[in-house]
Structure formats: C-alpha cells, structure tokens
Amino acid sequence: MDTPPPLPDPGPMPDPGPLLDPAVLHETERTRTYPCRACGGLLVFDPDSAQMLCVSCGSTQPVVEVGGAVPRHDLRRTMGALEQARREADGQRMVSATSEKEIVCQSCGGHTSFTGTLTAIRCPYCNTPIQRDDLQDAPVRLPVDGVLPFVVGEKVAREAIEKWINSRWFAPNEFKKYRTLGSFTSIYLTYFAYDADTTSRYTGQRGDHYTVTVGHGDNRRTETRTRWRPAAGTIGSQFRDLPALANTGLDQEKVSALEPWPTRNTKPYTPEYVSGHLSRTYDADAGQVFSSVAKPRIDSTIESQVRRDIGGDVQRVSSVDTTFHLLNFAHVLMPVWLLTVTYQQKPYQVFINGTTAEVQGHRPFSAVKITLAVGSAILLLVVALVLFNYFGD
C-alpha cells in the first residue's frame, strides 16, 4: 500500500482567545453555578488568591475577566430610557427586585428562595453558590457595570472583627461570643459611582475680623468685630467615582465610614467574582440615589469650596447656582464582610471593608460593666480625697 503524502505544515496554532465563562446556566431557573473542571465540585471566588477556588479539591483557575474600562452612563438619558421602559412594561408581568423567587437547586434538587434584593446566595441544603440572572437581563433594571473584588479573606476579616470587639471594653461578654450568637458573611453591596463636572455661581459676604479697644480705666478692654463686604464669583468643581450606597436596611452612617474605596481597582463586571458570596441588587435606582445621597454630598463640597473662594475669617453664603456639564454614573458592587448579632432581641451590625479591612459598627453596652466602672471611679475618688485630707493636714 502506498504511503500517503505528508500533510502540509499547519503553521502556528491560532490564539484561542479568552477563556469562556465557565458558568453552568440553568435556563429554567434563570440561575448560574460554577462547577470545578477537575472534580465537579463548587468553585468560589477566593480573595486570598484572587482566583476561582474549588472547595472540594483545592484546584484553582483564573477569573475570566472582561476587557476594557468600567462603562459609564449619562444619568439623565439613562433614567429617561429606564422610565420609558417602565411605562411600556406597565401592566405586564415584569421582574421585581423585591419579589420572592423560589428556585430548585440544580446540584441537590432542594428548594430555596431569593428574598428581598438578594441576587447571590448559597443553597441551604448543599451549600452550592447560586446566582440569579433574571434581574441582570430585565429591561426595567440597570445592569451591573463593575465590581470591586474582595481582597480581604475570611481569616483576616475574622482577625479584624476580633480585634474590634475585644477593644470595646463595655460590650457585654455575651456579645463577644458572636460566633454562636450572630451571622458573619461576605456580601457585595450595590453602589452607584458618580462623575460630575460643575460650574457654580455664588453670592455672599466676606467677613474679616479686626480688634478695637473700648472703655476706660478698669473697663478698658479689647473687642473683636467683623467687617463685612459683598462677595460673588464662579468656581468649577470636578467629582470622580463618588460612591453612594443603593441598599436600604443598613446603617448608612457606618457603611459610609468604610470609605474611601479603592475605586481604581474596580473591574468590568463578571459574575465569577460574586460566586460563593452573597450579593444584593439596588433598592433605589441611580436617579433616586443621586438625589438623596450623592447630590447633597456634592452640594456640601461645593459650599466648602465657595467659602474658601470667598476667603476672610468668616463667610455668609447667600446663593449657589450650580450647573452640571457632566453627570455620569456606573453601577458597581462593593465587597463587605458583615457581622450581624442579635443581642436582647435587638440586631447590631458591624461592617468590614472587603478591600482595606476597615471596621465600622455598633455594639451594645453592658450595664453591669458601666456600673462597676463608675463605682470604681467613685471609690478611687473617695480614697484620693481621704488621703489628701489625711496627708494635707
């Protein structure tokens, strides 16, 4: 039999391009999971290695990242289009972020529910991380643009929370047993990050202090007075990545105290970063959050800039007229470790920034410890007075 001629050299192999998202999509449930290619176990995003980690065999694989920059959207145009979509959908059955959605876990067959604004949970029966996709695709919802991945792993987070709790001397001993009393979990909270360029025209008054000597003899004294003069001007301001929380049911003051966020590390959204962690969609949209949270912060910053521009020792600001030349936003997820402890039927929340390990929160006070501390202070004061009187004679 004749030998077939050799095949021609195919040349270099073509670039296979980026890896495909390894998620398994469950069309009937509109959910996704991430099975391990090596053993079929569960893949979760591991903050320590910044990779997908199999909880069964320990193998890792890189996150399939989306190239480019995090998208930005014009706030007015986007909210106008969203409102139009809502009007067109009026009367139809549309996806609601607050409606309860029961799904069947594709790993064990157990039934579980997404409640409130949760979009990523773990199956309570087999611990499979499950993500809800239908909210991302809903025409009356804003899709996620970016994600700031977890950097702080569970070990470091627990060390931070232990240090914070142990430094609260007046916290009840029972509260310090948070491992058995509370819930400690990783969760992505929803933020809108705003970019704005503004011009502000203002009017007001500049006050300059001066001193005068008044009175005579024993009544002679120096007084400080203020000389006022009109002030007016124009200033330009620029804001970039101004974060505003879009979730309710949290201590807004303490969550805000987690700032600053390292927003330069925000990546275009891929659901792999959420695997294994809880996640919430927004409770208020980008327009509502801008009006209630972001704009007051912008106005406050502009007023401070106006006062600096007026100068002097004190200022009176009569009017500020601000024009927005640029007003964009991005819908981003921010990582938080959340401790919730119910003590004497009252919930207490402690938050840890998932990128910097900053801790903010509330804790209860122990009436017994405070009473003992006050009693000890009084006792020491009495002893000090007795000793002073004794040795002072």
Side-chain angles (χ1 to χ4, degrees):
M1 182 168 52
D2 295 336
T3 302
L7 295 174
D9 183 1
M13 294 297 290
D15 184 354
L19 295 173
L20 296 177
D21 186 340
V24 171
L25 305 180
H26 310 288
E27 292 298 330
T28 57
E29 304 295 331
R30 299 299 305 278
T31 59
R32 68 174 57 214
T33 55
Y34 285 89
C36 174
R37 295 171 179 171
C39 72
L42 308 174
L43 289 175
V44 300
F45 176 71
D46 175 41
D48 296 319
S49 64
Q51 297 191 88
M52 299 293 282
L53 171 69
C54 177
V55 297
S56 298
C57 69
S59 63
T60 60
Q61 64 184 60
V63 173
V64 180
E65 296 189 355
V66 178
V70 176
R72 291 292 196 276
H73 313 280
D74 181 273
L75 180 64
R76 296 184 184 93
R77 283 201 300 267
T78 302
M79 296 315 299
L82 189 65
E83 182 58 31
Q84 178 64 26
R86 288 169 177 165
R87 285 196 296 267
E88 293 175 354
D90 188 31
Q92 303 177 29
R93 184 181 178 186
M94 301 301 296
V95 176
S96 170
T98 57
S99 61
E100 184 169 305
K101 176 186 173 78
E102 181 177 294
I103 62 101
V104 177
C105 175
Q106 301 300 294
S107 294
C108 71
H111 288 244
T112 188
S113 296
F114 285 87
T115 58
T117 54
L118 282 173
T119 59
I121 60 173
R122 286 179 177 268
C123 173
Y125 307 104
C126 67
N127 210 34
T128 296
I130 306 171
Q131 296 185 47
R132 181 180 177 181
D133 280 351
D134 54 343
L135 287 178
Q136 282 285 76
D137 304 329
V140 294
R141 300 289 298 175
L142 296 169
V144 181
D145 299 307
V147 56
L148 185 61
F150 272 96
V151 174
V152 176
E154 182 174 358
K155 181 176 183 294
V156 173
R158 286 194 177 278
E159 290 173 351
I161 205 72
E162 290 277 359
K163 182 178 179 181
W164 186 88
I165 289 177
N166 289 334
S167 67
R168 270 57 192 172
W169 297 337
F170 292 118
N173 291 331
E174 293 85 353
F175 180 76
K176 296 186 177 183
K177 301 174 183 177
Y178 74 92
R179 287 190 180 87
T180 56
L181 291 177
S183 167
F184 189 60
T185 188
S186 54
I187 184 170
Y188 283 99
L189 300 180
T190 292
Y191 279 74
F192 292 111
Y194 298 92
D195 298 335
D197 291 341
T198 65
T199 298
S200 301
R201 295 175 176 82
Y202 68 84
T203 61
Q205 291 179 299
R206 168 178 173 146
D208 296 294
H209 295 325
Y210 64 96
T211 58
V212 296
T213 301
V214 298
H216 302 281
D218 292 341
N219 291 326
R220 186 179 179 86
R221 64 193 184 279
T222 300
E223 292 183 350
T224 299
R225 298 178 179 177
T226 304
R227 182 181 295 108
W228 293 97
R229 55 175 171 158
T234 301
I235 62 169
S237 306
Q238 187 179 81
F239 303 86
R240 292 294 180 268
D241 286 325
L242 179 67
L245 179 66
N247 291 131
T248 58
L250 302 169
D251 188 321
Q252 300 278 338
E253 179 184 355
K254 293 301 181 182
V255 176
S256 296
L258 295 177
E259 298 177 20
W261 295 96
T263 53
R264 65 186 179 278
N265 297 329
T266 303
K267 299 178 181 292
Y269 178 70
T270 172
E272 287 178 87
Y273 285 117
V274 179
S275 181
H277 308 277
L278 300 182
S279 183
R280 287 182 62 177
T281 186
Y282 58 85
D283 295 286
D285 64 33
Q288 295 166 331
V289 172
F290 177 76
S291 298
S292 63
V293 182
K295 190 173 185 299
R297 293 180 63 179
I298 289 175
D299 290 343
S300 177
T301 299
I302 289 176
E303 181 173 338
S304 297
Q305 293 171 341
V306 165
R307 291 184 180 278
R308 287 196 298 270
D309 198 61
I310 291 175
D313 298 307
V314 289
Q315 306 83 29
R316 292 172 177 166
V317 179
S318 302
S319 66
V320 179
D321 182 17
T322 298
T323 300
F324 285 83
H325 305 291
L326 170 76
L327 184 51
N328 293 342
F329 77 93
H331 177 189
V332 297
L333 303 181
M334 300 291 198
V336 171
W337 286 95
L338 172 61
L339 169 66
T340 303
V341 177
T342 300
Y343 177 75
Q344 293 185 347
Q345 299 181 335
K346 182 178 179 181
Y348 293 86
Q349 294 177 329
V350 183
F351 307 89
I352 304 174
N353 186 313
T355 59
T356 65
E358 171 74 19
V359 182
Q360 295 287 337
H362 286 293
R363 50 79 165 94
F365 290 88
S366 170
V368 173
K369 289 184 178 181
I370 293 175
T371 300
L372 289 174
V374 172
S376 299
I378 294 174
L379 179 61
L380 288 173
L381 179 61
V382 170
V383 171
L385 289 174
V386 170
L387 292 175
F388 178 79
N389 292 331
Y390 180 80
F391 290 104
D393 294 337

